[in-house]
């Protein structure tokens, strides 16, 4: 009997097409990896991806929503997340980001994911990017 | 019989409270993820977290000690680490960092973890941050 | 019967010696982690590692080749990759990088890996670094 693991691309209908040959998320066995998500709103045919707002709050909540859609597509939820990588562009955003983070994850039942936050460059207009490693089961 | 995996937050007593709803480390099944660790000394009630020294050496050794405490809390050790992500703030620190790294890991018995080192921004006063992915068993 | 997992360092013969006590790649159980790979050409005894070219294309293709050698050493291939982390130094390189990426991965059969791309500092002369998480089986 084969126990070969299946590798599945996770592609929520709301997501814009990736700008290159990568998946928004991948599940293989009980490992689910969400690609870097930014504050792009739902895909609109014929339009380039656009951030939902100029502000950190709107972009962060949209990035979380985008990540959650991918987790769900793979049969997971935030409860399964073991690591959330946070990329901000400005150290001055840390306190506000944490407020938003705490509100968003207030109702978690399981242990919250670990997190690393670093400050990097992102394409113009983007203030935040997040990716997620989840372990299912 | 259920084989549901348990998700456990890893919270060493010496650690300062995370500034947001995340865990210092998480174990689920045989996967253990250590959150980004910096050179904060042991928590002191009523005081804000403070780096142990202005220098790279002190901060790096403290960050490693903080990471190790989380690994131990989850029943693991550096021998189980498969990836160490290193965030430095200055490319001029690379050689000194590697010296410290080699001393610290000199007595490893198992294959050393893989590593990625990049240069990012960190909050004022912090020179180094590390996180760790371990696979137990 | 013990089911202890074996941890194996992955060290392709073509690779330069790591500048510190880390492995180019590690496999433990069905998890394979490739360390950060840059555009260094094959190791030449007695010579310091040198990027293959001043340009993004040469460095990217070499970094991919270096990563692939490690995947193969661990019994894996790009088909097993679930996450590729991309570190660029210049947001102006994004479009060209994606072209190279798409060409390189054009013949993938399985779901493409997830990806996160951020812009960081790298040592002088290096334009790109990539690391890879793969799940085998």
């Amino acid at each position: 009997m084969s126990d070969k693991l299946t590798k599945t691309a996770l592609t929520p209908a709301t997501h814009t097409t990736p700008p290159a040959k990568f998946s928004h998320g991948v599940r293989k066995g009980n490992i689910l990896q969400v690609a870097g998500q930014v504050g792009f709103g739902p895909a609109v045919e014929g339009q380039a991806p656009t951030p939902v707002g100029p502000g950190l709050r709107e972009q962060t909540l949209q990035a979380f929503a985008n990540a959650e859609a991918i987790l769900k597509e793979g049969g997971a939820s935030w409860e399964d997340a073991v690591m959330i990588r946070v990329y901000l562009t400005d150290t001055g955003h840390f306190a506000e980001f944490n407020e938003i983070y705490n509100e968003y994850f207030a109702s978690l039942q399981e242990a919250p994911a670990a997190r690393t936050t670093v400050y990097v460059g992102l394409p113009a207009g983007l203030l935040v990017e997040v990716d997620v490693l989840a372990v299912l089961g």
Side-chain angles (χ1 to χ4, degrees), chain A:
Chain A
M1 193 179 82
S2 171
D3 59 352
K4 187 164 162 40
L5 300 177
T6 302
K7 186 185 187 190
T8 310
L10 307 173
T11 314
T14 49
H15 273 52
T16 54
T17 306
K21 197 175 169 91
F22 63 83
S23 300
H24 285 303
V26 172
R27 179 172 170 184
K28 189 170 179 185
N30 72 332
I31 300 289
L32 190 163
Q33 177 70 55
V34 174
Q37 298 299 305
V38 296
F40 289 155
V44 180
E45 180 128 12
Q47 290 184 20
T50 312
V52 287
L56 184 67
R57 172 170 289 270
E58 296 87 344
Q59 288 196 20
T60 300
L61 292 175
Q62 185 66 47
F64 286 160
N66 291 343
E68 188 182 37
I70 295 163
L71 289 166
K72 286 193 175 168
E73 190 84 12
S77 78
W78 286 113
E79 303 288 354
D80 301 299
V82 296
M83 183 62 161
I84 301 178
R85 295 191 177 277
V86 177
Y87 302 97
L88 298 176
T89 53
D90 183 342
T91 54
H93 286 165
F94 188 60
E96 183 186 358
F97 179 80
N98 281 337
E99 275 180 40
I100 303 165
Y101 197 89
N102 290 347
E103 290 169 25
Y104 185 80
F105 289 115
S107 60
L108 273 186
Q109 301 296 309
E110 299 266 358
R115 196 182 88 178
T116 292
T117 307
V118 293
Y119 301 86
V120 300
L122 293 178
L126 297 177
L127 302 176
V128 56
E129 181 161 0
V130 296
D131 62 50
V132 186
L133 177 65
V135 177
L136 287 90

